[in-house]
Amino acid sequence: GTFIAAYSKRFIMINGYYGATGAMVTQFNRLNVISNNLANVNTAGFKQDDIIIGDFERIFSEKRDILPLENNTKKAAKFLNRNLNKIPIVVEEYTDFNVGDIQKTSNPLDVALKEKNQFFVIQTPSGEKLTRAGNFNIDSGGYLVTKDGFKVLNDKNQPILLSSKYSITIDKNGNIYQNHQIVATFKIVKIDNLNTLKKVGDSMFDFIPDTATIDSNNSTLQGFLEKSNINPIKEMTNLIETNRLVEQYQKVMNTFMDDLNRDAIEKLANVRA
């Protein structure tokens, strides 16, 4: 009886330790997301990432309702594992596509997009990508490129080639003029379901070609730049809050370990033959 009581207590303590560990790992994941957001406060076109935290029991229940599986879990086992089922985990990581602040720069190569579902199409070594970072430059070959050196595409799916002899004017429909003539039109696409996009790096996105509609009508603002949509004050508050939670979980884990070690020495190691 004494042994069973000691074992039961130890089992409950292990469950508690596991719960605190899982919760702390979840907060570490949140810290990574917040830190990356803060690191990109000044990155043009950057979109804020965030996570949704849930628990295993709720997720399992939702999936079980849509799967042809019976709940054969014994009530006793369900009771004993209640702490494990309630461990918080990252349910989903998502991107906030709301438009960031539009800043006037008067730089003719800075171009902002008006709607949150509009994107420039660029050429990369791994295929076409989308971006909202309109802080463009002209490379040594005369091509319009992103800050990372990727070529910007026109509506004919070709890199945009510009002359250094003439000034550049861009109208609201993405048409680029030099010497009073249209020399190119940005390939700008609209994505109806933004959840189909997958972030690549800081300001590029993978996309499904069939979901992209080419439409540059009333889309561009020359001499303006979209900043990131990060709220630095809110993110700093989240960072402080998450750090405090990590510290609290660490204290809980230390307490559990102290109790486990003391219990092992005083009781489990003293079992009589």
CSV table of all heavy atoms in Angstrom, one decimal, residues 10 124 133 163 179 185 209:
chain,number,residue,atom,x,y,z
A,10,ARG,N,4.2,9.9,-7.4
A,10,ARG,CA,5.3,10.1,-8.3
A,10,ARG,C,4.7,10.3,-9.7
A,10,ARG,O,5.2,11.1,-10.5
A,10,ARG,CB,6.3,9.0,-8.2
A,10,ARG,CG,7.5,9.2,-9.1
A,10,ARG,CD,8.5,8.1,-8.8
A,10,ARG,NE,9.7,8.4,-9.6
A,10,ARG,CZ,10.7,9.1,-9.3
A,10,ARG,NH1,10.7,9.8,-8.2
A,10,ARG,NH2,11.8,9.3,-10.1
A,124,THR,N,12.9,34.1,-59.3
A,124,THR,CA,14.0,33.7,-58.4
A,124,THR,C,14.6,32.4,-58.9
A,124,THR,O,13.9,31.7,-59.7
A,124,THR,CB,13.5,33.5,-56.9
A,124,THR,OG1,12.7,32.2,-56.9
A,124,THR,CG2,12.6,34.6,-56.5
A,133,ALA,N,7.1,43.9,-51.2
A,133,ALA,CA,8.2,44.8,-50.9
A,133,ALA,C,8.6,45.6,-52.2
A,133,ALA,O,9.2,45.0,-53.1
A,133,ALA,CB,9.4,44.1,-50.4
A,163,SER,N,15.9,51.9,-69.2
A,163,SER,CA,17.1,52.7,-69.7
A,163,SER,C,17.5,53.7,-68.7
A,163,SER,O,16.7,54.3,-68.0
A,163,SER,CB,16.7,53.4,-71.0
A,163,SER,OG,17.7,54.4,-71.4
A,179,ASN,N,10.6,58.4,-71.3
A,179,ASN,CA,10.5,59.2,-72.5
A,179,ASN,C,9.1,59.3,-73.1
A,179,ASN,O,8.9,59.2,-74.3
A,179,ASN,CB,11.5,58.7,-73.6
A,179,ASN,CG,11.8,59.7,-74.7
A,179,ASN,OD1,11.7,60.9,-74.5
A,179,ASN,ND2,12.1,59.2,-75.9
A,185,THR,N,4.8,47.0,-68.1
A,185,THR,CA,3.7,47.0,-67.1
A,185,THR,C,4.0,45.9,-66.1
A,185,THR,O,4.3,44.8,-66.4
A,185,THR,CB,2.3,46.8,-67.7
A,185,THR,OG1,2.1,47.8,-68.7
A,185,THR,CG2,1.2,46.8,-66.7
A,209,PRO,N,-0.2,28.9,-58.8
A,209,PRO,CA,-0.5,29.7,-60.0
A,209,PRO,C,-2.0,29.8,-60.3
A,209,PRO,O,-2.4,30.9,-60.8
A,209,PRO,CB,0.3,29.0,-61.1
A,209,PRO,CG,1.4,28.3,-60.4
A,209,PRO,CD,0.9,27.9,-59.0
